[in-house]
Amino acid sequence: MIVAIGADHAGFELKECVKQYLASRGHSVSDMGTESTESTDYPLYAFRVAEAVRDGKAERGVLVCDSGNGIAIAANKVESIRAVICVNAKHAELSRRHNDANVLVLGSAFIAPGDVVPTLEAWFQSPFDGGRHARRVGQIT
């Protein structure tokens, strides 16, 4: 799967870990920045990742910032994006099964280090359930 990934300065270190994890699982990772912990503005990276998903250049996206809030809000401004903040595996599973989320947002200050890999695994492995959930996603879009 092609995954677009991006982060601001506060999410840079976690982004690098997520990037390595995804590559180790056979995903093709398209890094949209940032490239350091130097202060930067998160909307730029949110839009890059969201637009890559919207335009079909990536199948899914992952964004990281301090809380996850601002970067998720920005990503959700892009048509057809359903960006969700997840803090654990169950949260991630439900975002896929019920909401067909296509961008995962991690708050580097809020996700426990031991929850990162299980959250990624759940999000990338969980299918969309469809059915009544498809009707609801349709209402959103």
Side-chain angles (χ1 to χ4, degrees), residues 83-137:
V84 293
I85 301 170
C86 295
V87 297
N88 60 43
K90 187 63 174 179
H91 210 199
E93 176 190 353
L94 290 175
S95 79
R96 288 286 308 133
R97 296 182 81 82
H98 293 183
N99 308 113
D100 198 20
N102 52 11
V103 175
L104 171 65
V105 180
L106 302 173
S108 61
F110 291 90
I111 189 162
D115 286 335
V116 174
V117 168
T119 298
L120 290 166
E121 288 177 351
W123 198 75
F124 279 95
Q125 293 173 8
S126 297
F128 177 48
D129 285 347
R132 71 180 191 269
H133 303 293
R135 182 180 69 246
R136 295 168 184 160
V137 169

Side-chain angles (χ1 to χ4, degrees), residues 2-48:
I2 300 171
V3 181
I5 188 168
D8 68 358
H9 57 281
F12 172 74
E13 291 177 8
L14 181 55
K15 176 191 70 123
E16 293 300 301
C17 293
V18 170
K19 188 166 66 170
Q20 289 177 1
Y21 169 81
L22 292 174
S24 77
R25 294 296 192 258
H27 297 288
S28 176
V29 180
S30 180
D31 189 339
M32 303 289 180
T34 192
E35 299 304 322
S36 74
T37 57
E38 183 178 333
S39 184
T40 188
D41 298 327
Y42 58 79
L44 172 65
Y45 309 104
F47 294 141
R48 285 180 182 173

